[in-house]
Every structure is written in structure tokens, then in C-alpha cells.
Amino acid sequence: MTAYIIRRLLLMVPTLLGISIACFVLVQFVPGGPVEEIISKVRAASSMRAGAQRISAEEIENIKAYFGFDKPAYVRYFIWLGNVLRGDFGNSYVYQQPVLDVIVGKFPISLFFGLTSFFLGYAVCIPLGVRKAVTHGSLFDSISSILVFAGYVIPGFALGTILIIFLAGGSYLDWFPVGGMVSSNFESLPPLDKALDFLHHMVLPLICYMIGDFAVITLLMKNSVLDEMNKDYVRTSMAKGLSFRATIWKQVFRNSLIPIATGIGSLFAVMFTSALLIERVFDIDGMGLLFYNSVVGRDYNVVLGIIVLSSLFTMLGRLFSDLIYVAVDPRIRFS
């Protein structure tokens, strides 16, 4: 198993290199950029002054040299890669800060949504999936399936709009805030009230974050339990006197978790959880909005930083999923 982990870690190196090269090449073909933006601002400022001259070719070259765009693309890539290997992703052209500082600044809210939706999703969906499997074909199973599928087909941002209309003072009830992360008087509140105020603002966005994976995890767990219930060891256990409930929770449940373990690896990438439209609906400045603004603003260093870091954590998550497989079912061996 140790050799397998080392091999997987080593394979991440060429994979990350390939991802970084592909993304770096791609951004070179995107029109616009920091150089063009500075030139347009200088020209706009010059046009407002009487008798101002046009920006010269030498000044344009100086601007390119300032941002490093006076060098060929392959040279810029190796310079960028060398800096990344030292933990330096460069500076943001838009925020005028180190890329890591910009990304880390969005961690608290993205980490909160990622971790909370992850653990709440599994805490609700796994028992629900087991219950649906045990009561397969019952009224409870049918009604819960309708609700689960209804939530699955509704996009998170559309559900957010509906929740605001009905529950956030849109046209009916006024139970929750319309948007934002905290109230305007947040700083003047005592600590406990601050926590309650924050959670009050997060209820509706969390529902929208969770709704997409809710049906997938629930139905995956249900089908996995149904598949295990039809195996011979279940009938053998019950024939030996073990109750149905004990058989489900002591034997079937653990074996049914193997397919679910696939999604557990996403825990490593929750800090990069992004849902742009949900963030726009609820006015939340998270990772999704940062990535969107960076793409629109041609903030290449931030875009590349987010892609590389999210790819790294995604691959680590998949490796973690393999380790979970072994923990759930010791019969599984990776060579």
C-alpha cells in the first residue's frame, strides 16, 4: 500500500505539469489582459487632456516589461513555474496583492460552505438512503423520491430565487435575510448573537449548495443497500438468528459504504467549492465569484493559481478515497 501511495503521489507531478501547461497556453489566446487594460486607461486619460499625445511604442514596451509580457510565452511559463515551486503564484493584476493572499482571503466562506454542506449532506443522505432501501416501494420511499428528484432537477441558483421569494421577504414570509453574510449591525452584536446572525444568513445558501448532491448521495446509498440486501450473506445471517435491523446496520451498512467512499475524497477540495450563480443570488463573495471576476478581468495569475491548487487538492482527494476504500473493505488491495 505504501508503494501505491508513493506511485500515486509521483504521478501527480506530470499531471499537474500537464494541467498547468494547458491552462497557461489557453490564457495566452484569451483577448485582453493587464497590458491592454493599462494602455486603454492611459489613452483614456490622455484623451481628456487638451493637446495630449498618443502613447508611444516605447511606453507600451515598458508596460509589457513591467508585467513580464516582453518575453516569449515559454519563457514566461518557466519563470512562473519556478516561482510556483517556491510557493509564489505571483501577484494579482486586479487586487494588487499576492495571489495566495487573494485566494486565502476567500477561504473562510468557501470552507464553511464546503465543510458544512459536505458533512450535513452525508449525515442526512446516508441514513435516508438506508431507510429508503429498507422501505423500498412504500409510501415513504415514493414521497421521499419525489422530493429528492424535485430538488435534483432544480438548479441551486433557481432554488435560491424561489426561497428568497417565499421565505426572505420577497412576497410571502420574512424569515431569513435576502442576502449577504451578516447584518449591517454585526460588529455591535455580542459574540453569541454574531454566531446566530451568521448562521441565520447561511441557512438558505446552504440549502442551495447541498441540493445538487443530495439526490445523488441518497439514491447511491439506497441502491448500494438494496444490492447488498440481495446477497447470500444477508439471508445466512438472518437464518442464524440475527435480526433484520442488526443485519442491516452491522453487516449491510458497512459494505454499502464502498460506493459512497468515492465522494469522501472531495473533502480535500471543499476550500475551492464554488457556485457562482448561488453566490450572486445571495450576494456572497466566495471562491466562485473570485474565479469569475478573475476570468473577466484577465487576472491570469489568480486564474492559474485557483486551477492548479484545486487540481492538486482534487487528486489528493481521490487518493484519500482509495484509502477509505481499504478502511471500509479490508479485502480491497491496491498494487
Side-chain angles (χ1 to χ4, degrees), residues 20-36 67-78 80 93 298-301 303-304:
S20 66
I21 292 173
C23 294
F24 195 90
V25 171
L26 183 61
V27 297
Q28 305 308 309
F29 293 97
V30 177
V35 174
E36 289 77 4
F67 288 104
F69 284 88
D70 57 328
K71 302 178 180 65
Y74 70 91
V75 175
R76 297 203 307 272
Y77 171 75
F78 284 111
W80 173 83
Y93 304 134
R298 308 298 189 268
D299 201 349
Y300 301 143
N301 287 337
V303 172
L304 290 171

PDB file of all heavy atoms in Angstrom, residues 20-36 67-78 80 93 298-301 303-304:
ATOM      1  N   SER A  20      -1.050  22.620 -15.841  1.00  0.00           N
ATOM      2  CA  SER A  20      -0.526  23.986 -15.831  1.00  0.00           C
ATOM      3  C   SER A  20      -0.151  24.450 -17.234  1.00  0.00           C
ATOM      4  O   SER A  20      -0.410  25.604 -17.604  1.00  0.00           O
ATOM      5  CB  SER A  20       0.676  24.084 -14.896  1.00  0.00           C
ATOM      6  OG  SER A  20       1.759  23.315 -15.383  1.00  0.00           O
ATOM      7  N   ILE A  21       0.444  23.565 -18.031  1.00  0.00           N
ATOM      8  CA  ILE A  21       0.815  23.939 -19.398  1.00  0.00           C
ATOM      9  C   ILE A  21      -0.427  24.235 -20.222  1.00  0.00           C
ATOM     10  O   ILE A  21      -0.493  25.234 -20.949  1.00  0.00           O
ATOM     11  CB  ILE A  21       1.650  22.819 -20.052  1.00  0.00           C
ATOM     12  CG1 ILE A  21       3.023  22.714 -19.375  1.00  0.00           C
ATOM     13  CG2 ILE A  21       1.832  23.076 -21.546  1.00  0.00           C
ATOM     14  CD1 ILE A  21       3.847  21.529 -19.835  1.00  0.00           C
ATOM     15  N   ALA A  22      -1.421  23.349 -20.120  1.00  0.00           N
ATOM     16  CA  ALA A  22      -2.654  23.545 -20.892  1.00  0.00           C
ATOM     17  C   ALA A  22      -3.335  24.855 -20.526  1.00  0.00           C
ATOM     18  O   ALA A  22      -3.769  25.613 -21.405  1.00  0.00           O
ATOM     19  CB  ALA A  22      -3.603  22.361 -20.671  1.00  0.00           C
ATOM     20  N   CYS A  23      -3.427  25.133 -19.236  1.00  0.00           N
ATOM     21  CA  CYS A  23      -4.086  26.373 -18.790  1.00  0.00           C
ATOM     22  C   CYS A  23      -3.272  27.602 -19.171  1.00  0.00           C
ATOM     23  O   CYS A  23      -3.836  28.625 -19.577  1.00  0.00           O
ATOM     24  CB  CYS A  23      -4.313  26.330 -17.283  1.00  0.00           C
ATOM     25  SG  CYS A  23      -5.482  25.067 -16.750  1.00  0.00           S
ATOM     26  N   PHE A  24      -1.949  27.510 -19.042  1.00  0.00           N
ATOM     27  CA  PHE A  24      -1.104  28.643 -19.381  1.00  0.00           C
ATOM     28  C   PHE A  24      -1.204  28.966 -20.870  1.00  0.00           C
ATOM     29  O   PHE A  24      -1.280  30.135 -21.264  1.00  0.00           O
ATOM     30  CB  PHE A  24       0.357  28.346 -19.015  1.00  0.00           C
ATOM     31  CG  PHE A  24       1.240  29.560 -18.992  1.00  0.00           C
ATOM     32  CD1 PHE A  24       1.398  30.295 -17.840  1.00  0.00           C
ATOM     33  CD2 PHE A  24       1.903  29.975 -20.141  1.00  0.00           C
ATOM     34  CE1 PHE A  24       2.201  31.420 -17.809  1.00  0.00           C
ATOM     35  CE2 PHE A  24       2.713  31.097 -20.127  1.00  0.00           C
ATOM     36  CZ  PHE A  24       2.867  31.822 -18.965  1.00  0.00           C
ATOM     37  N   VAL A  25      -1.204  27.926 -21.700  1.00  0.00           N
ATOM     38  CA  VAL A  25      -1.342  28.141 -23.144  1.00  0.00           C
ATOM     39  C   VAL A  25      -2.706  28.727 -23.467  1.00  0.00           C
ATOM     40  O   VAL A  25      -2.840  29.628 -24.307  1.00  0.00           O
ATOM     41  CB  VAL A  25      -1.123  26.823 -23.911  1.00  0.00           C
ATOM     42  CG1 VAL A  25      -1.486  26.983 -25.391  1.00  0.00           C
ATOM     43  CG2 VAL A  25       0.326  26.367 -23.781  1.00  0.00           C
ATOM     44  N   LEU A  26      -3.733  28.235 -22.774  1.00  0.00           N
ATOM     45  CA  LEU A  26      -5.092  28.695 -23.046  1.00  0.00           C
ATOM     46  C   LEU A  26      -5.243  30.185 -22.764  1.00  0.00           C
ATOM     47  O   LEU A  26      -5.855  30.912 -23.567  1.00  0.00           O
ATOM     48  CB  LEU A  26      -6.088  27.898 -22.206  1.00  0.00           C
ATOM     49  CG  LEU A  26      -7.575  28.210 -22.431  1.00  0.00           C
ATOM     50  CD1 LEU A  26      -7.975  27.912 -23.871  1.00  0.00           C
ATOM     51  CD2 LEU A  26      -8.444  27.411 -21.466  1.00  0.00           C
ATOM     52  N   VAL A  27      -4.683  30.647 -21.653  1.00  0.00           N
ATOM     53  CA  VAL A  27      -4.872  32.059 -21.300  1.00  0.00           C
ATOM     54  C   VAL A  27      -4.112  32.976 -22.265  1.00  0.00           C
ATOM     55  O   VAL A  27      -4.429  34.170 -22.353  1.00  0.00           O
ATOM     56  CB  VAL A  27      -4.419  32.341 -19.852  1.00  0.00           C
ATOM     57  CG1 VAL A  27      -5.248  31.560 -18.866  1.00  0.00           C
ATOM     58  CG2 VAL A  27      -2.930  32.066 -19.664  1.00  0.00           C
ATOM     59  N   GLN A  28      -3.117  32.427 -22.989  1.00  0.00           N
ATOM     60  CA  GLN A  28      -2.398  33.263 -23.946  1.00  0.00           C
ATOM     61  C   GLN A  28      -3.283  33.653 -25.132  1.00  0.00           C
ATOM     62  O   GLN A  28      -3.035  34.662 -25.793  1.00  0.00           O
ATOM     63  CB  GLN A  28      -1.153  32.532 -24.466  1.00  0.00           C
ATOM     64  CG  GLN A  28      -0.217  32.043 -23.389  1.00  0.00           C
ATOM     65  CD  GLN A  28       0.186  33.123 -22.410  1.00  0.00           C
ATOM     66  OE1 GLN A  28       0.621  34.205 -22.796  1.00  0.00           O
ATOM     67  NE2 GLN A  28       0.053  32.828 -21.114  1.00  0.00           N
ATOM     68  N   PHE A  29      -4.303  32.838 -25.406  1.00  0.00           N
ATOM     69  CA  PHE A  29      -5.174  33.102 -26.545  1.00  0.00           C
ATOM     70  C   PHE A  29      -6.409  33.912 -26.160  1.00  0.00           C
ATOM     71  O   PHE A  29      -7.220  34.254 -27.023  1.00  0.00           O
ATOM     72  CB  PHE A  29      -5.619  31.786 -27.186  1.00  0.00           C
ATOM     73  CG  PHE A  29      -4.494  31.031 -27.837  1.00  0.00           C
ATOM     74  CD1 PHE A  29      -3.851  30.001 -27.166  1.00  0.00           C
ATOM     75  CD2 PHE A  29      -4.068  31.354 -29.113  1.00  0.00           C
ATOM     76  CE1 PHE A  29      -2.806  29.303 -27.753  1.00  0.00           C
ATOM     77  CE2 PHE A  29      -3.024  30.667 -29.714  1.00  0.00           C
ATOM     78  CZ  PHE A  29      -2.386  29.642 -29.023  1.00  0.00           C
ATOM     79  N   VAL A  30      -6.550  34.195 -24.869  1.00  0.00           N
ATOM     80  CA  VAL A  30      -7.694  34.999 -24.423  1.00  0.00           C
ATOM     81  C   VAL A  30      -7.401  36.460 -24.734  1.00  0.00           C
ATOM     82  O   VAL A  30      -6.351  36.984 -24.339  1.00  0.00           O
ATOM     83  CB  VAL A  30      -7.937  34.812 -22.917  1.00  0.00           C
ATOM     84  CG1 VAL A  30      -9.075  35.709 -22.444  1.00  0.00           C
ATOM     85  CG2 VAL A  30      -8.238  33.355 -22.611  1.00  0.00           C
ATOM     86  N   PRO A  31      -8.286  37.141 -25.449  1.00  0.00           N
ATOM     87  CA  PRO A  31      -8.035  38.557 -25.778  1.00  0.00           C
ATOM     88  C   PRO A  31      -8.061  39.429 -24.539  1.00  0.00           C
ATOM     89  O   PRO A  31      -8.737  39.135 -23.557  1.00  0.00           O
ATOM     90  CB  PRO A  31      -9.186  38.906 -26.732  1.00  0.00           C
ATOM     91  CG  PRO A  31     -10.268  37.921 -26.405  1.00  0.00           C
ATOM     92  CD  PRO A  31      -9.563  36.654 -26.004  1.00  0.00           C
ATOM     93  N   GLY A  32      -7.322  40.528 -24.610  1.00  0.00           N
ATOM     94  CA  GLY A  32      -7.261  41.433 -23.477  1.00  0.00           C
ATOM     95  C   GLY A  32      -6.196  41.002 -22.485  1.00  0.00           C
ATOM     96  O   GLY A  32      -5.461  40.040 -22.684  1.00  0.00           O
ATOM     97  N   GLY A  33      -6.102  41.704 -21.382  1.00  0.00           N
ATOM     98  CA  GLY A  33      -5.121  41.389 -20.369  1.00  0.00           C
ATOM     99  C   GLY A  33      -4.684  42.651 -19.645  1.00  0.00           C
ATOM    100  O   GLY A  33      -5.158  43.758 -19.937  1.00  0.00           O
ATOM    101  N   PRO A  34      -3.789  42.510 -18.662  1.00  0.00           N
ATOM    102  CA  PRO A  34      -3.365  43.685 -17.880  1.00  0.00           C
ATOM    103  C   PRO A  34      -2.680  44.745 -18.732  1.00  0.00           C
ATOM    104  O   PRO A  34      -2.847  45.937 -18.482  1.00  0.00           O
ATOM    105  CB  PRO A  34      -2.409  43.085 -16.843  1.00  0.00           C
ATOM    106  CG  PRO A  34      -1.963  41.779 -17.426  1.00  0.00           C
ATOM    107  CD  PRO A  34      -3.130  41.279 -18.210  1.00  0.00           C
ATOM    108  N   VAL A  35      -1.902  44.321 -19.737  1.00  0.00           N
ATOM    109  CA  VAL A  35      -1.214  45.299 -20.588  1.00  0.00           C
ATOM    110  C   VAL A  35      -2.224  46.131 -21.363  1.00  0.00           C
ATOM    111  O   VAL A  35      -2.163  47.366 -21.391  1.00  0.00           O
ATOM    112  CB  VAL A  35      -0.242  44.587 -21.555  1.00  0.00           C
ATOM    113  CG1 VAL A  35       0.361  45.599 -22.526  1.00  0.00           C
ATOM    114  CG2 VAL A  35       0.860  43.881 -20.773  1.00  0.00           C
ATOM    115  N   GLU A  36      -3.185  45.458 -21.992  1.00  0.00           N
ATOM    116  CA  GLU A  36      -4.196  46.159 -22.774  1.00  0.00           C
ATOM    117  C   GLU A  36      -5.039  47.066 -21.885  1.00  0.00           C
ATOM    118  O   GLU A  36      -5.448  48.163 -22.294  1.00  0.00           O
ATOM    119  CB  GLU A  36      -5.085  45.159 -23.506  1.00  0.00           C
ATOM    120  CG  GLU A  36      -4.414  44.435 -24.659  1.00  0.00           C
ATOM    121  CD  GLU A  36      -3.489  43.320 -24.199  1.00  0.00           C
ATOM    122  OE1 GLU A  36      -3.441  43.078 -22.971  1.00  0.00           O
ATOM    123  OE2 GLU A  36      -2.808  42.720 -25.050  1.00  0.00           O
ATOM    124  N   PHE A  67       4.963  43.979 -16.656  1.00  0.00           N
ATOM    125  CA  PHE A  67       4.176  42.785 -16.370  1.00  0.00           C
ATOM    126  C   PHE A  67       4.860  41.501 -16.830  1.00  0.00           C
ATOM    127  O   PHE A  67       4.311  40.408 -16.629  1.00  0.00           O
ATOM    128  CB  PHE A  67       2.804  42.887 -17.044  1.00  0.00           C
ATOM    129  CG  PHE A  67       1.882  43.883 -16.393  1.00  0.00           C
ATOM    130  CD1 PHE A  67       1.647  45.116 -16.970  1.00  0.00           C
ATOM    131  CD2 PHE A  67       1.268  43.598 -15.186  1.00  0.00           C
ATOM    132  CE1 PHE A  67       0.795  46.035 -16.377  1.00  0.00           C
ATOM    133  CE2 PHE A  67       0.420  44.505 -14.575  1.00  0.00           C
ATOM    134  CZ  PHE A  67       0.189  45.740 -15.169  1.00  0.00           C
ATOM    135  N   GLY A  68       6.030  41.611 -17.455  1.00  0.00           N
ATOM    136  CA  GLY A  68       6.741  40.429 -17.913  1.00  0.00           C
ATOM    137  C   GLY A  68       6.292  39.904 -19.256  1.00  0.00           C
ATOM    138  O   GLY A  68       6.702  38.811 -19.661  1.00  0.00           O
ATOM    139  N   PHE A  69       5.472  40.672 -19.957  1.00  0.00           N
ATOM    140  CA  PHE A  69       4.948  40.218 -21.244  1.00  0.00           C
ATOM    141  C   PHE A  69       5.877  40.569 -22.418  1.00  0.00           C
ATOM    142  O   PHE A  69       5.499  40.387 -23.565  1.00  0.00           O
ATOM    143  CB  PHE A  69       3.562  40.819 -21.489  1.00  0.00           C
ATOM    144  CG  PHE A  69       2.475  40.161 -20.686  1.00  0.00           C
ATOM    145  CD1 PHE A  69       2.180  40.610 -19.403  1.00  0.00           C
ATOM    146  CD2 PHE A  69       1.768  39.080 -21.192  1.00  0.00           C
ATOM    147  CE1 PHE A  69       1.187  40.004 -18.659  1.00  0.00           C
ATOM    148  CE2 PHE A  69       0.782  38.467 -20.446  1.00  0.00           C
ATOM    149  CZ  PHE A  69       0.495  38.927 -19.173  1.00  0.00           C
ATOM    150  N   ASP A  70       7.063  41.049 -22.093  1.00  0.00           N
ATOM    151  CA  ASP A  70       8.028  41.312 -23.156  1.00  0.00           C
ATOM    152  C   ASP A  70       8.813  40.056 -23.521  1.00  0.00           C
ATOM    153  O   ASP A  70       9.583  40.051 -24.480  1.00  0.00           O
ATOM    154  CB  ASP A  70       9.005  42.413 -22.721  1.00  0.00           C
ATOM    155  CG  ASP A  70       9.737  42.049 -21.427  1.00  0.00           C
ATOM    156  OD1 ASP A  70       9.137  41.347 -20.579  1.00  0.00           O
ATOM    157  OD2 ASP A  70      10.900  42.462 -21.271  1.00  0.00           O
ATOM    158  N   LYS A  71       8.622  38.995 -22.770  1.00  0.00           N
ATOM    159  CA  LYS A  71       9.322  37.742 -23.016  1.00  0.00           C
ATOM    160  C   LYS A  71       8.414  36.768 -23.760  1.00  0.00           C
ATOM    161  O   LYS A  71       7.180  36.876 -23.681  1.00  0.00           O
ATOM    162  CB  LYS A  71       9.771  37.107 -21.691  1.00  0.00           C
ATOM    163  CG  LYS A  71      10.673  38.004 -20.841  1.00  0.00           C
ATOM    164  CD  LYS A  71      11.022  37.324 -19.542  1.00  0.00           C
ATOM    165  CE  LYS A  71      11.932  38.204 -18.689  1.00  0.00           C
ATOM    166  NZ  LYS A  71      11.239  39.445 -18.254  1.00  0.00           N
ATOM    167  N   PRO A  72       8.974  35.772 -24.458  1.00  0.00           N
ATOM    168  CA  PRO A  72       8.160  34.754 -25.132  1.00  0.00           C
ATOM    169  C   PRO A  72       7.322  33.975 -24.118  1.00  0.00           C
ATOM    170  O   PRO A  72       7.670  33.897 -22.930  1.00  0.00           O
ATOM    171  CB  PRO A  72       9.207  33.860 -25.809  1.00  0.00           C
ATOM    172  CG  PRO A  72      10.431  34.710 -25.921  1.00  0.00           C
ATOM    173  CD  PRO A  72      10.407  35.626 -24.736  1.00  0.00           C
ATOM    174  N   ALA A  73       6.256  33.361 -24.616  1.00  0.00           N
ATOM    175  CA  ALA A  73       5.322  32.659 -23.731  1.00  0.00           C
ATOM    176  C   ALA A  73       6.006  31.525 -22.981  1.00  0.00           C
ATOM    177  O   ALA A  73       5.764  31.328 -21.785  1.00  0.00           O
ATOM    178  CB  ALA A  73       4.133  32.136 -24.539  1.00  0.00           C
ATOM    179  N   TYR A  74       6.874  30.752 -23.661  1.00  0.00           N
ATOM    180  CA  TYR A  74       7.501  29.609 -22.994  1.00  0.00           C
ATOM    181  C   TYR A  74       8.450  30.068 -21.894  1.00  0.00           C
ATOM    182  O   TYR A  74       8.600  29.397 -20.859  1.00  0.00           O
ATOM    183  CB  TYR A  74       8.213  28.720 -24.011  1.00  0.00           C
ATOM    184  CG  TYR A  74       9.458  29.310 -24.622  1.00  0.00           C
ATOM    185  CD1 TYR A  74      10.705  29.099 -24.052  1.00  0.00           C
ATOM    186  CD2 TYR A  74       9.386  30.074 -25.784  1.00  0.00           C
ATOM    187  CE1 TYR A  74      11.848  29.644 -24.609  1.00  0.00           C
ATOM    188  CE2 TYR A  74      10.515  30.620 -26.348  1.00  0.00           C
ATOM    189  CZ  TYR A  74      11.750  30.400 -25.758  1.00  0.00           C
ATOM    190  OH  TYR A  74      12.876  30.939 -26.321  1.00  0.00           O
ATOM    191  N   VAL A  75       9.098  31.226 -22.098  1.00  0.00           N
ATOM    192  CA  VAL A  75       9.969  31.766 -21.047  1.00  0.00           C
ATOM    193  C   VAL A  75       9.134  32.207 -19.845  1.00  0.00           C
ATOM    194  O   VAL A  75       9.487  31.946 -18.685  1.00  0.00           O
ATOM    195  CB  VAL A  75      10.803  32.944 -21.590  1.00  0.00           C
ATOM    196  CG1 VAL A  75      11.615  33.586 -20.465  1.00  0.00           C
ATOM    197  CG2 VAL A  75      11.718  32.484 -22.715  1.00  0.00           C
ATOM    198  N   ARG A  76       8.011  32.859 -20.109  1.00  0.00           N
ATOM    199  CA  ARG A  76       7.126  33.293 -19.017  1.00  0.00           C
ATOM    200  C   ARG A  76       6.606  32.089 -18.239  1.00  0.00           C
ATOM    201  O   ARG A  76       6.470  32.152 -17.012  1.00  0.00           O
ATOM    202  CB  ARG A  76       5.952  34.108 -19.567  1.00  0.00           C
ATOM    203  CG  ARG A  76       6.354  35.389 -20.253  1.00  0.00           C
ATOM    204  CD  ARG A  76       5.207  36.393 -20.274  1.00  0.00           C
ATOM    205  NE  ARG A  76       3.993  35.840 -20.839  1.00  0.00           N
ATOM    206  CZ  ARG A  76       3.693  35.849 -22.131  1.00  0.00           C
ATOM    207  NH1 ARG A  76       4.552  36.383 -22.998  1.00  0.00           N
ATOM    208  NH2 ARG A  76       2.564  35.356 -22.576  1.00  0.00           N
ATOM    209  N   TYR A  77       6.324  30.999 -18.948  1.00  0.00           N
ATOM    210  CA  TYR A  77       5.815  29.800 -18.265  1.00  0.00           C
ATOM    211  C   TYR A  77       6.849  29.245 -17.296  1.00  0.00           C
ATOM    212  O   TYR A  77       6.524  28.936 -16.134  1.00  0.00           O
ATOM    213  CB  TYR A  77       5.419  28.727 -19.272  1.00  0.00           C
ATOM    214  CG  TYR A  77       5.091  27.406 -18.608  1.00  0.00           C
ATOM    215  CD1 TYR A  77       3.877  27.230 -17.930  1.00  0.00           C
ATOM    216  CD2 TYR A  77       6.011  26.359 -18.597  1.00  0.00           C
ATOM    217  CE1 TYR A  77       3.581  26.043 -17.282  1.00  0.00           C
ATOM    218  CE2 TYR A  77       5.717  25.168 -17.954  1.00  0.00           C
ATOM    219  CZ  TYR A  77       4.507  25.008 -17.300  1.00  0.00           C
ATOM    220  OH  TYR A  77       4.226  23.834 -16.657  1.00  0.00           O
ATOM    221  N   PHE A  78       8.092  29.118 -17.742  1.00  0.00           N
ATOM    222  CA  PHE A  78       9.123  28.541 -16.869  1.00  0.00           C
ATOM    223  C   PHE A  78       9.440  29.469 -15.705  1.00  0.00           C
ATOM    224  O   PHE A  78       9.747  29.002 -14.598  1.00  0.00           O
ATOM    225  CB  PHE A  78      10.382  28.225 -17.675  1.00  0.00           C
ATOM    226  CG  PHE A  78      10.256  26.991 -18.521  1.00  0.00           C
ATOM    227  CD1 PHE A  78      10.205  27.075 -19.898  1.00  0.00           C
ATOM    228  CD2 PHE A  78      10.163  25.746 -17.921  1.00  0.00           C
ATOM    229  CE1 PHE A  78      10.077  25.929 -20.684  1.00  0.00           C
ATOM    230  CE2 PHE A  78      10.040  24.589 -18.698  1.00  0.00           C
ATOM    231  CZ  PHE A  78       9.992  24.684 -20.074  1.00  0.00           C
ATOM    232  N   TRP A  80       7.170  31.456 -14.333  1.00  0.00           N
ATOM    233  CA  TRP A  80       6.011  31.257 -13.457  1.00  0.00           C
ATOM    234  C   TRP A  80       6.112  29.927 -12.716  1.00  0.00           C
ATOM    235  O   TRP A  80       5.869  29.858 -11.499  1.00  0.00           O
ATOM    236  CB  TRP A  80       4.730  31.297 -14.295  1.00  0.00           C
ATOM    237  CG  TRP A  80       3.486  30.949 -13.533  1.00  0.00           C
ATOM    238  CD1 TRP A  80       2.745  31.772 -12.749  1.00  0.00           C
ATOM    239  CD2 TRP A  80       2.838  29.666 -13.478  1.00  0.00           C
ATOM    240  NE1 TRP A  80       1.671  31.093 -12.215  1.00  0.00           N
ATOM    241  CE2 TRP A  80       1.711  29.794 -12.647  1.00  0.00           C
ATOM    242  CE3 TRP A  80       3.103  28.439 -14.073  1.00  0.00           C
ATOM    243  CZ2 TRP A  80       0.857  28.744 -12.381  1.00  0.00           C
ATOM    244  CZ3 TRP A  80       2.254  27.365 -13.802  1.00  0.00           C
ATOM    245  CH2 TRP A  80       1.146  27.525 -12.971  1.00  0.00           C
ATOM    246  N   TYR A  93      -3.165  41.030 -10.774  1.00  0.00           N
ATOM    247  CA  TYR A  93      -3.184  42.296 -11.506  1.00  0.00           C
ATOM    248  C   TYR A  93      -4.334  43.187 -11.051  1.00  0.00           C
ATOM    249  O   TYR A  93      -4.239  44.411 -11.106  1.00  0.00           O
ATOM    250  CB  TYR A  93      -3.323  42.034 -13.010  1.00  0.00           C
ATOM    251  CG  TYR A  93      -2.258  41.135 -13.582  1.00  0.00           C
ATOM    252  CD1 TYR A  93      -2.577  40.092 -14.450  1.00  0.00           C
ATOM    253  CD2 TYR A  93      -0.919  41.320 -13.265  1.00  0.00           C
ATOM    254  CE1 TYR A  93      -1.604  39.272 -14.978  1.00  0.00           C
ATOM    255  CE2 TYR A  93       0.064  40.502 -13.788  1.00  0.00           C
ATOM    256  CZ  TYR A  93      -0.283  39.476 -14.636  1.00  0.00           C
ATOM    257  OH  TYR A  93       0.684  38.657 -15.154  1.00  0.00           O
ATOM    258  N   ARG A 298      -9.216  39.214 -16.701  1.00  0.00           N
ATOM    259  CA  ARG A 298      -7.966  38.700 -17.258  1.00  0.00           C
ATOM    260  C   ARG A 298      -6.862  38.684 -16.207  1.00  0.00           C
ATOM    261  O   ARG A 298      -5.701  38.974 -16.503  1.00  0.00           O
ATOM    262  CB  ARG A 298      -7.515  39.535 -18.462  1.00  0.00           C
ATOM    263  CG  ARG A 298      -8.562  39.735 -19.543  1.00  0.00           C
ATOM    264  CD  ARG A 298      -8.987  38.416 -20.178  1.00  0.00           C
ATOM    265  NE  ARG A 298      -9.823  38.640 -21.358  1.00  0.00           N
ATOM    266  CZ  ARG A 298     -11.149  38.700 -21.338  1.00  0.00           C
ATOM    267  NH1 ARG A 298     -11.776  38.565 -20.186  1.00  0.00           N
ATOM    268  NH2 ARG A 298     -11.846  38.892 -22.443  1.00  0.00           N
ATOM    269  N   ASP A 299      -7.237  38.334 -14.984  1.00  0.00           N
ATOM    270  CA  ASP A 299      -6.261  38.237 -13.896  1.00  0.00           C
ATOM    271  C   ASP A 299      -5.639  36.845 -13.955  1.00  0.00           C
ATOM    272  O   ASP A 299      -5.971  35.949 -13.171  1.00  0.00           O
ATOM    273  CB  ASP A 299      -6.947  38.478 -12.551  1.00  0.00           C
ATOM    274  CG  ASP A 299      -5.964  38.885 -11.463  1.00  0.00           C
ATOM    275  OD1 ASP A 299      -4.758  38.764 -11.710  1.00  0.00           O
ATOM    276  OD2 ASP A 299      -6.414  39.329 -10.392  1.00  0.00           O
ATOM    277  N   TYR A 300      -4.709  36.665 -14.884  1.00  0.00           N
ATOM    278  CA  TYR A 300      -4.193  35.344 -15.225  1.00  0.00           C
ATOM    279  C   TYR A 300      -3.580  34.612 -14.037  1.00  0.00           C
ATOM    280  O   TYR A 300      -3.774  33.404 -13.878  1.00  0.00           O
ATOM    281  CB  TYR A 300      -3.150  35.459 -16.338  1.00  0.00           C
ATOM    282  CG  TYR A 300      -3.654  36.086 -17.607  1.00  0.00           C
ATOM    283  CD1 TYR A 300      -2.831  36.935 -18.347  1.00  0.00           C
ATOM    284  CD2 TYR A 300      -4.943  35.841 -18.074  1.00  0.00           C
ATOM    285  CE1 TYR A 300      -3.287  37.522 -19.524  1.00  0.00           C
ATOM    286  CE2 TYR A 300      -5.404  36.414 -19.242  1.00  0.00           C
ATOM    287  CZ  TYR A 300      -4.576  37.262 -19.969  1.00  0.00           C
ATOM    288  OH  TYR A 300      -5.032  37.839 -21.114  1.00  0.00           O
ATOM    289  N   ASN A 301      -2.832  35.320 -13.214  1.00  0.00           N
ATOM    290  CA  ASN A 301      -2.154  34.650 -12.097  1.00  0.00           C
ATOM    291  C   ASN A 301      -3.156  34.054 -11.112  1.00  0.00           C
ATOM    292  O   ASN A 301      -2.937  32.950 -10.592  1.00  0.00           O
ATOM    293  CB  ASN A 301      -1.240  35.639 -11.379  1.00  0.00           C
ATOM    294  CG  ASN A 301       0.000  35.955 -12.180  1.00  0.00           C
ATOM    295  OD1 ASN A 301       0.416  35.181 -13.043  1.00  0.00           O
ATOM    296  ND2 ASN A 301       0.617  37.095 -11.921  1.00  0.00           N
ATOM    297  N   VAL A 303      -6.281  33.131 -11.854  1.00  0.00           N
ATOM    298  CA  VAL A 303      -6.935  32.014 -12.545  1.00  0.00           C
ATOM    299  C   VAL A 303      -6.064  30.773 -12.503  1.00  0.00           C
ATOM    300  O   VAL A 303      -6.517  29.671 -12.152  1.00  0.00           O
ATOM    301  CB  VAL A 303      -7.253  32.396 -14.006  1.00  0.00           C
ATOM    302  CG1 VAL A 303      -7.757  31.182 -14.779  1.00  0.00           C
ATOM    303  CG2 VAL A 303      -8.283  33.512 -14.060  1.00  0.00           C
ATOM    304  N   LEU A 304      -4.787  30.931 -12.847  1.00  0.00           N
ATOM    305  CA  LEU A 304      -3.875  29.791 -12.836  1.00  0.00           C
ATOM    306  C   LEU A 304      -3.682  29.251 -11.423  1.00  0.00           C
ATOM    307  O   LEU A 304      -3.614  28.035 -11.215  1.00  0.00           O
ATOM    308  CB  LEU A 304      -2.529  30.202 -13.430  1.00  0.00           C
ATOM    309  CG  LEU A 304      -2.522  30.475 -14.937  1.00  0.00           C
ATOM    310  CD1 LEU A 304      -1.185  31.082 -15.357  1.00  0.00           C
ATOM    311  CD2 LEU A 304      -2.783  29.211 -15.725  1.00  0.00           C
TER     312      LEU A 304
END
